[in-house]
Amino acid sequence: MFWTKNKEHDQSIAYTDPEGLNILRPASLDPQAVVEHQKTREEKWFLFKLDVFLLTFGCISQVIKYLDQTNINTAYVSGMSDDLNLKGNELNYFTTYFNVGYCIFLIPSQVMITRFRPSLWLSGLELCWGILTGCIAACKSAKQIYVLRAFIGIAESSAYPGTVTLLMTWYTPTEMAKRIGFYHSCQALGGMLSGALQTAIHTSLEGSHGIAGWQWTFIINCIMTIVVAICGPFMLPDFPSKPNPWAFWLKPKDHEIARARLNRVKRVSPNPINIPCALRTLKNPILYMMIWIYVGMLIAPSGNSYFQLWLRSLKNPDGSKVWGITQLNAIPLGGYAMQIAAVWFFAFGSDIFKTRWLMLLTQCIIGFPPAIIMSIWNVPIGAKYYSYFILYITNASGPCLWAWMSDMLPRDAEQRALIIGICISLYYAINAWANVLIWPASQAPHYRYGWPVSCALWVTCGLVITTMRIYDVKIIRPRNYRVSQDDVVEQEAATPGLEDTAGDSGPDSKLEGEDVKAGRTNVHVLPVV
């Protein structure tokens, strides 16, 4: 068997066996390379179970979370504002108090998830926010809702970053973005269900047992959340290094497969986050570029959150409202459907075409024209409908961005978890005041500050994405390449009979690698661009 240096892909080492098969070793010289290989039947079955339990629980939990998070908007336009005599910016403050609680506890939650069993931590907090959501139905004033929304934000802060951390730990680079995409798209599905649920409640339960329709919304949300939370300790697998003993579906053989998969792509389970990890993260330029891109690409299209308020402001020539309560809740469903399709398109495209940054840049280009139209405002009403709906497409940055970060930091699981926590925490911290300043409900339906800010954010996010791409190519990839080269040298030195002739037709040598033993002969490496 002869070792040869692969001239076409300077990111991997190839060898030729007696039958002439050219194999690129999974121990790629570039740890952020995407490793594709022929999965065994056991690995396919393991991946199927991982999707059925981990991904399914995450998706259902995300639907419920976003349903609980956005039902305040649907309840507000479905009778709560009249029953509680809400005026002015109370709706904005409901979001502000939620965001304050969310951002305060998010980073501590990410630290705790590396020190405590995720299956119990995530499920326990979900149980808490479900109960608190049900309590809103009994509120009689805005101040009571402020308190509950703050504690709901504290409890919900664990869900999204914690689940993404689990997904990044169990799945390989070629599997990751599409899974995070499925999970991320459940935000839009939760938004769709929020409107659909309020519509169904308004037509069937309004006034039943003396309870208003908007109150039934919170009661039903509470029951659904509690049921999902009870399933968590048995569905979540924790981390591959310390599997959940209560996960009945995770067998000892699955533990071995999971560890082998992580070794193949140079991924590890996170260790407890500590002060050195925090300092290492704060010194990393990736953190600050990730913050700008993540926060900016969430705030830029956030004007579509007030789509219903604009719809409610529309009136016929005789002064009657154009849309009733049922239509107010039903019309945005089309936008959420577009968002789901966009998330899947960009997430799958990111994995299929092996690129992250172009998918993000495309969203910036799509989002800029609607922001310009809404800044002008005095345009045909059809242009406003177009702008509101098209912005839903740009709410798809998360999967590509988190996958890109995982590509750049393949070996530092603790730093990945901390960056996710910091990015999301800062978004909620910024949105807590930006929501009131740039999207004040008192300016509805025309937000004079929000749309110009949106224009500026789309432009700057595009520039930062391009900058991070350059930094990735010029700094990160060469550094990861050198580190992985050292690993290959150490691996070859530790493997008896293994000899790399770096392109020379040297003597026969015997490869004892585990991939040959396992019969994986059509392994190849494709770089993420």
Side-chain angles (χ1 to χ4, degrees):
M1 190 174 297
F2 297 91
W3 282 96
T4 60
K5 192 74 172 182
N6 188 297
K7 302 298 183 180
E8 298 180 0
H9 300 275
D10 194 27
Q11 294 176 333
S12 56
I13 291 179
Y15 65 86
T16 304
D17 67 13
E19 297 178 3
L21 295 175
N22 186 36
I23 309 173
L24 300 183
R25 298 176 58 202
S28 168
L29 291 182
D30 184 354
Q32 79 178 73
V34 177
V35 182
E36 295 186 352
H37 75 108
Q38 184 178 11
K39 293 182 176 66
T40 63
R41 185 167 59 181
E42 291 80 6
E43 184 176 352
K44 290 179 181 178
W45 175 242
F46 164 75
L47 190 60
F48 172 77
K49 291 194 293 182
L50 203 59
D51 289 339
V52 168
F53 289 96
L54 170 57
L55 187 60
T56 298
F57 176 85
C59 288
I60 295 175
S61 176
Q62 181 69 352
V63 169
I64 299 299
K65 172 186 177 295
Y66 211 73
L67 187 63
D68 292 349
Q69 185 173 331
T70 60
N71 56 19
I72 198 74
N73 292 331
T74 55
Y76 185 89
V77 300
S78 301
M80 184 175 73
S81 59
D82 296 329
D83 291 350
L84 301 186
N85 193 28
L86 302 177
K87 299 178 181 179
N89 291 329
E90 280 93 347
L91 180 60
N92 294 105
Y93 291 131
F94 293 157
T95 302
T96 297
Y97 278 93
F98 176 90
N99 291 347
V100 169
Y102 202 102
C103 71
I104 287 176
F105 197 67
L106 196 150
I107 294 177
S109 177
Q110 281 296 88
V111 174
M112 288 300 298
I113 202 174
T114 64
R115 295 177 173 271
F116 194 64
R117 282 178 53 187
S119 56
L120 297 181
W121 181 254
L122 297 178
S123 301
L125 289 176
E126 184 159 359
L127 181 65
C128 291
W129 94 59
I131 295 173
L132 292 170
T133 298
C135 292
I136 295 180
C139 289
K140 302 299 182 183
S141 68
K143 291 183 179 179
Q144 294 174 340
I145 298 178
Y146 294 157
V147 174
L148 288 174
R149 288 285 290 177
F151 281 102
I152 290 173
I154 289 175
E156 287 194 15
S157 65
S158 63
Y160 182 87
T163 304
V164 170
T165 299
L166 284 176
L167 295 176
M168 293 172 65
T169 303
W170 285 92
Y171 290 102
T172 66
T174 55
E175 303 162 352
M176 187 183 307
K178 59 179 70 74
R179 263 74 178 189
I180 298 178
F182 272 113
Y183 175 67
H184 189 84
S185 68
C186 291
Q187 292 182 357
L189 185 57
M192 292 179 66
L193 288 180
S194 180
L197 181 63
Q198 187 61 54
T199 300
I201 290 173
H202 181 74
T203 56
S204 60
L205 291 177
E206 177 67 39
S208 178
H209 302 286
I211 301 174
W214 66 268
Q215 292 174 309
W216 276 113
T217 299
F218 295 109
I219 294 172
I220 293 173
N221 289 171
C222 171
I223 296 172
M224 295 168 63
T225 306
I226 291 174
V227 171
V228 174
I230 293 173
C231 298
F234 308 100
M235 297 183 69
L236 292 175
D238 291 342
F239 293 120
S241 59
K242 296 180 180 179
N244 179 10
W246 292 1
F248 61 93
W249 55 274
L250 203 58
K251 307 301 180 184
K253 179 65 175 177
D254 297 325
H255 302 169
E256 298 176 8
I257 294 174
R259 285 191 288 268
R261 281 161 49 86
L262 293 180
N263 290 335
R264 190 171 66 238
V265 295
K266 302 300 181 184
R267 262 60 170 180
V268 294
S269 298
N271 294 316
I273 295 175
N274 51 28
I275 293 178
C277 174
L279 294 176
R280 186 169 68 251
T281 303
L282 293 175
K283 294 178 182 177
N284 192 343
I286 294 175
L287 169 66
Y288 304 99
M289 290 184 281
M290 288 285 296
I291 289 172
W292 190 275
I293 297 171
Y294 182 76
V295 175
M297 292 189 70
L298 283 180
I299 293 180
S302 60
N304 62 4
S305 299
Y306 306 102
F307 189 17
Q308 288 175 308
L309 293 181
W310 177 71
L311 292 172
R312 193 172 68 168
S313 71
L314 298 178
K315 294 183 179 181
N316 293 311
D318 61 359
S320 62
K321 293 184 178 297
V322 173
W323 307 111
I325 291 179
T326 300
Q327 289 82 5
L328 288 177
N329 291 316
I331 290 175
L333 297 182
Y336 286 121
M338 294 170 62
Q339 181 176 335
I340 292 173
V343 169
W344 290 353
F345 172 81
F346 288 113
F348 275 76
S350 175
D351 281 346
I352 293 173
F353 298 110
K354 309 299 183 293
T355 182
R356 318 294 192 195
W357 76 286
L358 283 178
M359 296 296 168
L360 293 169
L361 192 61
T362 300
Q363 293 175 48
C364 293
I365 295 172
I366 293 174
F368 185 68
I372 291 290
I373 292 173
M374 298 303 283
S375 297
I376 298 172
W377 189 251
N378 293 320
V379 295
I381 192 171
K384 295 178 182 178
Y385 276 108
Y386 162 81
S387 298
Y388 273 115
F389 276 112
I390 207 69
L391 283 175
Y392 283 95
I393 296 177
T394 62
N395 282 314
S397 59
C400 300
L401 192 60
W402 302 137
W404 192 6
M405 179 188 65
S406 180
D407 294 337
M408 290 188 288
L409 301 171
R411 299 162 182 256
D412 201 331
E414 303 85 45
Q415 191 173 172
R416 294 199 306 263
L418 196 54
I419 289 177
I420 291 175
I422 292 173
C423 287
I424 300 176
S425 180
L426 282 178
Y427 162 70
Y428 279 94
I430 293 171
N431 198 42
W433 55 265
N435 176 63
V436 177
L437 292 181
I438 68 176
W439 306 106
S442 58
Q443 285 188 4
H446 178 207
Y447 300 98
R448 295 187 297 274
Y449 312 135
W451 295 113
V453 169
S454 178
C455 292
L457 286 174
W458 286 127
V459 173
T460 55
C461 285
L463 293 175
V464 176
I465 290 168
T466 305
T467 300
M468 191 159 79
R469 162 64 176 172
I470 296 171
Y471 183 76
D472 184 14
V473 172
K474 299 295 184 180
I475 306 296
I476 299 299
R477 285 173 180 252
R479 184 170 64 198
N480 286 345
Y481 180 88
R482 290 191 297 269
V483 171
S484 190
Q485 267 189 322
D486 294 339
D487 285 352
V488 171
V489 171
E490 292 177 4
Q491 179 183 353
E492 291 171 351
T495 304
L498 190 61
E499 184 177 350
D500 183 359
T501 60
D504 298 327
S505 56
D508 291 354
S509 61
K510 183 178 180 181
L511 179 63
E512 299 286 343
E514 62 176 4
D515 297 286
V516 174
K517 290 181 180 179
R520 291 194 291 266
T521 57
N522 54 345
V523 179
H524 61 286
V525 177
L526 297 174
V528 176
V529 296

